[in-house]
Amino acid sequence: VEQSWTLAPNPAQNILKLHRIISDEHAEISIIDIQGNVVLTQSLEEKADSKTIDISVLHAGLYIIKIEESQNAVRFLKFIKN
């Protein structure tokens, strides 16, 4: 089953909420800056359908969220930090 991810708000200022439709797998979340540096990592446990991420420490700009799920699926989402 294909996993569907959403994030809001986008652009974001201090808080970013990541939401998934199916919540039966562990996921590792990495936030990557435009230079390719991992600037923040989080975990999303099994059975959790959302994760609130504090991005207040990040500088303004474009970021990529890399989501690695336990069945080797990798997803990428973009967001703008104001």
Side-chain angles (χ1 to χ4, degrees), residues 8-9 12-18 29-32 39-43 50-59 63 65 79-82:
Q13 191 164 17
N14 294 314
I15 298 294
L16 190 65
K17 187 153 188 174
L18 190 60
I29 301 161
S30 301
I31 297 181
I32 303 165
V39 294
L40 195 65
T41 58
Q42 301 272 320
S43 292
S50 65
K51 179 78 172 181
T52 301
I53 303 171
D54 180 356
I55 59 167
S56 61
V57 298
L58 301 179
H59 296 291
Y63 291 86
I65 296 180
F79 76 94
I80 296 171
K81 163 72 163 82
N82 286 340

